[in-house]
């Protein structure tokens, strides 16, 4: 719906031709200016234009004189457009200067481009398209550097969320400033929480009421950092007066304004100034130390004071300096012999000099250099100049020494509440509006958070490690935090979303930090590590082959290899000089094997190795047998999935979703276990084969059930446990700092020891693992089996050999003779047994025992100097053999 408008012209024609110009007959050129003559800035621009025209017309070297026609636009785009047509058609101006707002400049640029008249604008859009307005030349810089400067200020103050306020222009937009600011804030990790769009001042009948209604909406927004992008002078006055009145300019708040408003500082009266105390402004810097400025300023001060006696400030604004420079640009462009519009535009764009406003050089219709900005702080009746913003460098204390730069804003600011402390920039809790903190009331492990009914109806009692940690944090904060707990009966994801949608201001509890949650809320520094662990029952570790476990397979192999090597060395050194190592190969191998194994325990060459091996083996085996060792019943997650068994977890946490989406467990195999005390029963009934708990919960569980359960499988790591706040809340940063401090001074460890102390049976001081268990036969039956089997095999081999020798002797003696007299089976068995026991063959009727065979298994070695010689052994063997043969012959004769 279009609003009705009434166009009113205030036409001021200034025909400034010097007497010298009239006498010499210099050519007169008309130049148009469209400004808001009624405003302070417009008055400054008018004075600067007059001084510039007068100065150039009085120059005797000029062959042109300028005639300046000024029209009042009252900052109305339609009035500016109409004035431009009038100047072009009636006054035939060759250029138009002025246009303080982009809305005016855009319409006049269209008219100027069609009429091929250059338009020098004091306003510039955030993003300009030169091809759209080929005859537009912007004397102002774009907003890119200014938005970067504001974002850097936000970052240095650690503000994460801001509110943007701007007055809607005639075209319903923000001239691109909002897009640039949003991008700049995103680069520093901040964001725009809310946009407050004020209607155009000219479209409202009761600005006080409209502005107040709009500002009241900001009380529902947490951020208290306000950035005013653009606003007209009258709207700015109403904005700050109402903001001060309703309490938005004060404690914990910060206001930042752009140069389009900072330029009005000198135009505000004392009442407006008082409502803007403590705000930060961005101004374009200009050098007041040049000779040109020193010549210009006295003229400006004198002329402006004469024309505006009601003003008490005579400092020229940046627009006044640009007005002066624009006349110089046109004057230099007219010095060319070519007078066509295209040549004039080309000469204007070719300008290259240092003016009052800075470097004048154009590229694609705009100033090619980025401006130097100055941060100012409005205090008292004036403002303090703080840091510089240097393009491509950042903040700096001065512009002459780049080494003094800083990544952060370092100026001392007096904020709206009169304090030098950086405001929180956030709506802090009050008695009327305390911070609502959600607390999980449906927890599986009550040692972390426990919510019980209080003494009175509707009253709740909050306890647990997390609650006590919260109380400790409050003691560290340098301010009182007014809060109110509210129990949350739902899942943890629902709790996070309640903070995200601002149902809660924060949440305190055992909340896991996850990547998807960080996009919704602000987490504090984690106070506990977190991950996913698998809890399974345990069984005692025992095996019939326990005696093999002290050594690895490789160790056994190496030990055996060394023994074989030693056997070879013994044989190699002995077989030439020691007859015991001679003879058939089977005898030599047996002798070497027996000697090598026996040398493990008493041979000098093997003493050191044998000592180390036997000691290490003994110590390792002793540890395995005397200390109770438990092993898990399940070690592999893949086995759980393949076996299709059920597992348990806390259904209110994210773990169930993680098991389904990441670890790929089937949903019907996952059981929700609501309490830590239910897990033992679920395991005993074989309802679940494993439980998946976060690491902190797993430690608490094992502190009570260390004899029955253990953790196994790899741990999947998460971000830890922390408290949550709304996105951008500075209180989250304060809590993080407090948690770190509590961690450093040992308070956090003390709380963990208080709440998560192990049960008496799991205490490290009294655990049964420190008691020595009695050794049982179960761990040694394998070794005993080998020993018994070896002995039995040897016995059977001996019996077989003895029987074979007996029957062979019987066959030889009975060959060619009559059958022996039948005798009873018992007598035969006794005769065979006596023969085996005595080591000789007995004939029937023999009752005396044969003499014992001498012990022949004492080795004689010249190398190791043993006591018996081989000759002695040979003689003894010969004697035994002769005696045995004689006795057998006598027995046979008696039998016959």
């Amino acid at each position: 719906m279009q609003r009705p408008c009434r166009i009113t012209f205030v036409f001021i024609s200034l025909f400034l031709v010097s007497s010298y110009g009239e006498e010499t007959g210099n050519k007169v050129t008309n130049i148009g200016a469209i400004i808001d003559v009624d405003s302070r800035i417009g008055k400054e621009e008018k004075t600067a234009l007059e001084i510039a025209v007068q100065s150039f017309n009085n120059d005797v070297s000029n062959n042109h004189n300028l005639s300046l026609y000024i029209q009042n636009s009252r900052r109305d785009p339609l009035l500016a457009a109409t004035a431009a047509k009038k100047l072009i058609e009636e006054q035939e101006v060759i250029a138009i200067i002025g246009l303080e707002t982009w809305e005016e400049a855009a319409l006049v640029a269209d008219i100027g481009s069609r009429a091929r008249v250059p338009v020098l604008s004091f306003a510039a859009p955030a993003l300009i398209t030169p091809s759209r307005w080929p005859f537009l030349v912007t004397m102002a810089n774009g907003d890119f550097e200014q938005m970067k400067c504001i974002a850097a200020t936000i970052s240095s103050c650690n503000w994460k969320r801001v509110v943007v306020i701007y007055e809607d222009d005639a075209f319903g937009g923000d001239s691109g400033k909002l897009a640039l600011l949003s991008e700049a804030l995103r680069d520093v990790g901040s964001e725009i929480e809310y946009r407050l769009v004020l209607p155009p001042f000219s479209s409202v009948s009761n600005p006080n009421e409209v502005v107040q209604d709009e500002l009241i909406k900001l009380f529902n927004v947490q951020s208290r950092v306000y950035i005013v992008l653009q606003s007209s002078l009258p709207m700015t006055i109403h904005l700050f007066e109402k903001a001060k009145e309703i309490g938005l300019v004060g404690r914990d708040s910060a206001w930042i304004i752009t140069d389009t408003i900072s330029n009005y500082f000198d135009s505000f009266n004392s009442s407006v100034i008082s409502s803007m105390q403590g705000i930060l402004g961005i101004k374009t810097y200009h050098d007041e130390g040049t000779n040109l400025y020193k010549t210009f300023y006295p003229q400006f001060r004198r002329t402006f004071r004469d024309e505006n006696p009601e003003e008490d400030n005579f400092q020229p604004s940046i627009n006044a300096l640009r007005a002066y420079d624009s006349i110089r640009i046109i004057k230099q462009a007219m010095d060319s012999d070519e007078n066509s519009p295209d040549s004039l535009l080309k000469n204007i764009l070719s300008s290259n000099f240092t003016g009052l406003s800075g470097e004048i050089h154009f590229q694609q219709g705009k100033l090619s250099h980025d401006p130097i900005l100055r941060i100012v702080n409005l205090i008292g009746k004036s403002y303090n100049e703080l840091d510089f913003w240097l393009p491509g460098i950042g903040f700096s204390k001065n512009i002459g020494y780049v080494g003094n730069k800083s990544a952060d804003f370092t100026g001392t600011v007096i904020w709206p509440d009169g304090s030098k402390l950086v405001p929180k920039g956030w709506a802090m809790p009050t008695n009327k509006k305390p911070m609502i903190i959600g607390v999980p009331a449906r927890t599986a492990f009550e040692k972390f958070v426990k919510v019980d009914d209080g003494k009175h109806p509707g009253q709740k009692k909050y306890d647990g490690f997390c609650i006590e940690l919260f109380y400790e944090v409050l003691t560290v904060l340098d301010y009182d935090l007014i809060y109110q707990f509210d129990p949350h009966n739902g899942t943890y994801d629902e709790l996070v979303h309640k903070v995200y949608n601002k149902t809660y201001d924060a949440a305190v509890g055992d909340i896991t930090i996850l990547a998807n949650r960080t996009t919704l809320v602000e987490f504090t520094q984690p106070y506990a590590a977190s991950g996913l662990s698998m809890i399974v029952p345990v069984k005692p570790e025992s095996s019939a082959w326990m005696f093999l476990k002290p050594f690895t397979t490789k160790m056994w192999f190496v030990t055996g290899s060394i023994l074989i090597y030693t056997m070879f060395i013994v044989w190699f050194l002995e077989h030439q000089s020691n007859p015991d190592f001679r003879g058939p190969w089977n005898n030599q191998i047996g002798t070497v094997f027996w000697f090598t194994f026996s040398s493990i325990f008493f041979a000098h060459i093997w003493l050191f190795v044998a000592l180390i091996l036997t000691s290490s083996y003994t110590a390792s085996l002793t540890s395995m047998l005397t200390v109770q060792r438990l092993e898990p019943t399940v070690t592999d997650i893949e086995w759980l999935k393949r076996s299709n068994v059920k597992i348990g977890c806390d259904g209110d946490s994210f773990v169930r979703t993680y098991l389904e989406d990441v670890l790929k467990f089937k949903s019907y195999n996952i059981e929700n276990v609501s309490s830590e005390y239910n897990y033992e029963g679920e395991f005993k009934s074989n309802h679940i084969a494993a439980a998946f708990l976060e690491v902190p919960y797993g430690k608490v569980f094992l502190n009570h059930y260390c004899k029955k359960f253990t953790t196994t499988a790899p741990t999947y790591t998460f971000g830890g446990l922390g408290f949550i706040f709304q996105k951008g809340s500075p209180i989250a940063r304060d809590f993080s700092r407090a948690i770190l401090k509590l961690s450093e001074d040992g308070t956090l460890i003390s709380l963990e020891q208080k709440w998560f102390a192990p049960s008496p049976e799991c205490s490290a001081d009294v655990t049964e693992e420190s008691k020595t268990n009695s050794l049982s036969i179960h761990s040694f039956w394998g070794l005993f089996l080998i020993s018994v089997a070896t002995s039995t095999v040897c016995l059977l081999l001996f019996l077989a050999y003895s029987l074979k020798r007996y029957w062979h002797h019987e066959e030889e003696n009975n060959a060619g003779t009559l059958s022996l007299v039948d005798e009873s089976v018992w007598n035969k068995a006794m005769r065979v047994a006596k023969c085996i026991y005595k080591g000789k063959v007995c004939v029937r009727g023999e009752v005396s025992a044969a003499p014992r065979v001498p012990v022949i298994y004492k080795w004689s070695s010249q190398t190791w100097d043993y006591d018996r010689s081989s000759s002695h052994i040979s003689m003894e063997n010969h004697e035994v053999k002769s005696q045995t043969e004689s006795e057998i012959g006598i027995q046979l004769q008696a039998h016959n």
Side-chain angles (χ1 to χ4, degrees):
M1 178 178 179
Q2 294 183 347
R3 59 181 175 85
C5 63
R6 179 181 300 171
I7 300 176
T8 305
F9 278 95
V10 175
F11 182 80
I12 302 175
S13 178
L14 298 176
F15 185 69
L16 299 174
V17 183
S18 66
S19 59
Y20 178 82
E22 293 176 349
E23 293 176 357
T24 57
N26 286 350
K27 183 179 178 180
V28 178
T29 303
N30 294 338
I31 299 175
I34 303 176
I35 58 179
D36 182 10
V37 179
D38 297 332
S39 67
R40 160 68 189 242
I41 292 180
K43 295 175 182 178
E44 292 178 4
E45 294 167 349
K46 174 177 173 292
T47 301
L49 289 170
E50 292 173 351
I51 293 173
V53 170
Q54 181 113 26
S55 173
F56 289 115
N57 284 344
N58 289 338
D59 188 349
V60 297
S61 62
N62 291 331
N63 57 5
H64 286 82
N65 287 331
L66 300 180
S67 177
L68 179 64
Y69 293 88
I70 299 178
Q71 292 200 0
N72 188 1
S73 68
R74 297 180 181 175
R75 300 175 69 91
D76 189 313
L78 295 180
L79 288 178
T82 305
K85 288 183 178 181
K86 191 173 186 66
L87 289 173
I88 294 173
E89 294 173 359
E90 296 181 7
Q91 306 302 328
E92 298 182 353
V93 296
I94 65 168
I96 297 176
I97 302 170
L99 310 169
E100 298 157 7
T101 67
W102 174 244
E103 293 75 27
E104 298 174 82
L107 289 181
V108 174
D110 276 331
I111 296 171
S113 296
R114 288 197 298 267
R116 308 185 69 80
V117 174
V119 177
L120 279 69
S121 169
F122 299 159
L127 301 171
I128 189 172
T129 307
S131 59
R132 181 175 179 182
W133 302 288
F135 277 77
L136 174 64
V137 179
T138 58
M139 294 288 293
N141 300 95
D143 294 314
F144 178 73
E145 283 297 330
Q146 187 171 198
M147 296 303 112
K148 287 183 62 178
C149 176
I150 293 176
T153 304
I154 298 296
S155 176
S156 64
C157 294
N158 290 317
W159 296 323
K160 297 301 181 182
R161 287 196 169 189
V162 301
V163 175
V164 173
I165 303 173
Y166 60 88
E167 180 183 355
D168 199 3
D169 57 36
F171 302 100
D174 53 28
S175 303
K177 291 182 175 65
L178 186 63
L180 288 178
L181 177 62
S182 179
E183 181 180 355
L185 289 174
R186 194 161 49 246
D187 291 341
V188 298
S190 300
E191 61 180 331
I192 298 173
E193 181 179 6
Y194 186 76
R195 293 185 300 168
L196 181 64
V197 183
L198 300 173
F201 185 80
S202 58
S203 67
V204 296
S205 57
N206 189 348
N208 277 334
E209 182 180 347
V210 172
V211 171
Q212 179 172 318
D213 291 342
E214 292 295 328
L215 289 177
I216 288 177
K217 298 176 182 177
L218 298 181
F219 284 106
N220 297 323
V221 181
Q222 290 290 344
S223 176
R224 289 294 182 266
V225 180
Y226 307 107
I227 301 175
V228 185
L229 283 183
Q230 64 182 27
S231 176
S232 62
L233 176 59
M235 182 61 79
T236 301
I237 294 174
H238 285 85
L239 172 65
F240 281 98
E241 286 182 345
K242 284 299 177 183
K244 179 74 172 180
E245 181 182 326
I246 65 178
L248 290 177
V249 180
R251 183 184 177 188
D252 299 321
S253 68
W255 290 77
I256 301 176
I257 59 177
T258 60
D259 61 350
T260 58
I261 303 172
S262 300
N263 291 332
Y264 302 148
F265 276 170
D266 297 326
S267 303
F268 295 143
N269 56 37
S270 58
S271 64
V272 178
I273 291 294
S274 65
S275 66
M276 300 178 67
Q277 293 293 297
I279 69 172
L280 289 180
I282 313 295
K283 296 191 70 175
T284 303
Y285 170 77
H286 61 272
D287 190 358
E288 298 180 357
T290 63
N291 293 330
L292 181 61
Y293 186 85
K294 292 177 180 178
T295 302
F296 166 78
Y297 179 65
Q299 299 178 44
F300 176 85
R301 180 184 177 88
R302 181 175 58 253
T303 305
F304 188 78
R305 182 175 55 189
D306 293 342
E307 295 179 353
N308 306 281
E310 72 282 0
E311 298 288 347
D312 56 359
N313 189 314
F314 311 115
Q315 286 293 124
S317 66
I318 187 65
N319 274 14
L321 305 183
R322 289 168 178 165
Y324 185 92
D325 290 339
S326 63
I327 296 297
R328 183 176 176 182
I329 291 172
I330 295 175
K331 185 66 175 64
Q332 289 183 358
M334 290 167 55
D335 291 339
S336 173
D337 294 334
E338 298 183 21
N339 296 321
S340 65
D342 291 340
S343 63
L344 179 63
L345 175 63
K346 180 180 179 181
N347 292 337
I348 289 175
L349 295 177
S350 300
S351 300
N352 189 4
F353 64 90
T354 301
L356 290 175
S357 61
E359 296 293 328
I360 303 298
H361 183 265
F362 298 102
Q363 185 176 5
Q364 295 184 340
K366 61 180 180 179
L367 291 173
S368 59
H369 71 282
D370 291 320
I372 296 175
L373 304 176
R374 191 72 185 263
I375 314 297
V376 296
N377 181 207
L378 193 59
I379 298 297
K381 296 182 179 181
S382 184
Y383 53 83
N384 293 336
E385 295 181 338
L386 305 177
D387 290 6
F388 290 95
W389 173 264
L390 306 181
I393 296 177
F395 293 110
S396 177
K397 284 295 184 183
N398 53 65
I399 60 175
Y401 179 49
V402 178
N404 202 21
K405 66 180 180 179
S406 172
D408 292 329
F409 177 69
T410 58
T412 301
V413 181
I414 306 298
W415 298 99
D417 60 352
S419 172
K420 295 181 180 180
L421 296 177
V422 178
K424 294 294 182 183
W426 197 258
M428 298 300 289
T430 62
N431 290 324
K432 293 182 179 180
K433 191 178 180 181
M435 172 179 281
I436 306 300
I437 300 177
V439 178
R442 206 169 66 192
T443 57
F445 287 81
E446 295 180 346
K447 285 186 175 293
F448 287 89
V449 179
K450 184 178 182 181
V451 181
D452 289 329
D453 292 330
K455 297 181 179 179
H456 305 288
Q459 186 181 24
K460 296 294 183 180
K461 180 182 178 182
Y462 301 88
D463 199 9
F465 169 78
C466 298
I467 302 300
E468 190 164 343
L469 175 61
F470 173 79
Y471 294 148
E472 291 291 340
V473 169
L474 295 183
T475 64
V476 178
L477 298 178
D478 56 1
Y479 54 87
D480 294 332
L481 186 67
I482 303 173
Y483 67 92
Q484 177 181 326
F485 283 147
D486 186 71
H488 166 72
N489 290 286
T491 67
Y492 283 80
D493 282 336
E494 291 171 351
L495 177 61
V496 171
H497 276 84
K498 280 190 175 182
V499 177
Y500 171 69
N501 62 27
K502 300 182 180 180
T503 302
Y504 292 144
D505 298 308
V508 170
D510 48 342
I511 307 169
T512 306
I513 303 174
L514 300 176
N516 62 330
R517 291 176 177 176
T518 58
T519 62
L520 304 176
V521 295
E522 196 85 29
F523 276 93
T524 64
Q525 171 77 17
Y527 58 79
S530 177
L532 190 64
S533 59
M534 184 172 71
I535 306 296
V536 296
V538 295
K539 60 182 179 180
E541 181 183 3
S542 61
S543 171
W545 306 101
M546 179 72 75
F547 67 91
L548 294 177
K549 288 190 176 182
F551 287 167
T552 63
T553 303
K554 188 175 182 180
M555 181 65 181
W556 283 114
F557 176 77
V558 171
T559 302
S561 300
I562 294 176
L563 287 175
I564 294 174
Y565 176 73
T566 304
M567 174 190 72
F568 172 76
I569 296 298
V570 170
W571 172 82
F572 184 79
L573 296 177
E574 293 288 332
H575 81 282
Q576 293 184 357
S577 59
N578 192 338
D580 291 328
F581 288 89
R582 297 177 184 175
W585 278 105
N586 57 346
N587 289 343
Q588 293 188 45
I589 293 174
T591 300
V592 170
F593 261 114
W594 171 253
F595 185 84
T596 302
F597 277 100
S598 63
S599 67
I600 292 179
F601 303 100
F602 54 79
H604 296 289
I605 63 169
W606 189 251
L607 179 60
F608 180 73
V609 177
L611 176 63
I612 298 299
L613 287 177
T614 54
S615 298
S616 301
Y617 178 87
T618 302
S620 180
L621 185 60
T622 301
S623 173
M624 291 181 178
L625 295 176
T626 60
V627 177
Q628 184 180 6
R629 304 171 70 90
L630 303 176
E631 60 182 5
T633 56
V634 179
T635 59
D636 188 10
I637 291 179
E638 295 300 323
W639 180 87
L640 291 173
K641 292 190 284 187
R642 290 194 305 268
S643 302
N644 210 33
V645 296
K646 291 187 177 297
I647 58 176
C649 71
D650 180 8
D652 287 337
S653 71
F654 73 97
V655 174
R656 184 183 182 96
T657 303
Y658 188 86
L659 292 174
E660 294 177 3
D661 297 343
V662 179
L663 298 185
K664 304 302 181 182
F665 279 96
K666 295 181 175 62
S667 178
Y668 56 80
N669 282 335
I670 303 176
E671 294 291 329
N672 293 338
V673 183
S674 59
S675 173
E676 61 180 302
Y677 307 108
N678 295 341
Y679 283 99
E680 184 182 19
E682 295 289 332
F683 278 115
K684 282 185 177 180
S685 62
N686 293 323
H687 195 201
I688 60 174
F692 285 87
L693 301 175
E694 291 186 68
V695 170
Y697 308 143
K699 290 181 179 179
V700 172
F701 183 79
L702 294 179
N703 278 344
H704 290 272
Y705 301 101
C706 59
K707 302 297 183 182
K708 301 178 180 180
F709 304 95
T710 187
T711 180
T712 184
T715 299
Y716 298 86
T717 305
F718 306 121
L721 301 183
F723 303 151
I724 60 175
F725 293 83
Q726 290 182 14
K727 201 72 173 174
S729 172
I731 303 178
R733 183 174 62 251
D734 296 339
F735 264 63
S736 294
R737 191 181 299 111
I739 290 173
L740 287 175
K741 186 175 181 180
L742 294 174
S743 177
E744 293 169 0
D745 64 16
T747 304
L748 193 58
I749 293 296
S750 300
L751 290 177
E752 291 177 356
Q753 293 173 349
K754 173 184 176 180
W755 286 97
F756 308 137
S759 61
E761 66 175 1
C762 294
S763 174
D765 297 330
V766 297
T767 178
E768 293 183 1
E769 293 183 3
S770 59
K771 302 178 182 178
T772 303
N773 296 326
S774 299
L775 299 180
S776 64
I777 195 174
H778 183 73
S779 298
F780 290 93
W781 73 266
L783 183 61
F784 292 160
L785 177 63
I786 293 177
S787 177
V788 172
T790 302
S791 300
T792 303
V793 169
C794 293
L795 176 62
L796 293 176
L797 290 175
F798 175 75
L799 291 175
Y801 176 76
S802 298
L803 290 173
K804 179 181 179 181
R805 187 180 63 171
Y806 174 80
W807 292 117
H808 178 71
H809 184 272
E810 285 289 317
E811 290 177 357
E812 289 181 349
N813 284 279
N814 294 330
T817 63
L818 296 174
S819 298
L820 296 175
V821 180
D822 293 338
E823 59 179 336
S824 66
V825 175
W826 172 256
N827 289 336
K828 289 183 178 181
M830 290 297 296
R831 187 156 53 86
V832 172
K834 289 180 180 179
C835 178
I836 295 173
Y837 173 75
K838 295 180 178 181
K840 67 177 183 177
V841 180
C842 300
V843 291
R844 276 170 288 183
E846 182 71 20
V847 295
S848 62
R852 288 175 177 256
V853 178
V855 178
I856 64 175
Y857 298 111
K858 283 195 176 182
W859 305 102
S860 175
S861 172
Q862 296 177 357
T863 304
W864 284 282
D865 195 22
Y866 281 32
D867 59 346
R868 290 180 179 265
S869 66
S870 60
S871 59
H872 177 76
I873 295 176
S874 300
M875 181 64 69
E876 194 174 66
N877 291 342
H878 178 72
E879 293 175 358
V880 170
K881 179 178 179 182
S882 300
Q883 183 179 2
T884 303
E885 290 177 352
S886 299
E887 291 178 352
I888 294 174
I890 294 173
Q891 292 174 358
L892 290 175
Q893 292 176 1
H895 178 71
N896 294 333

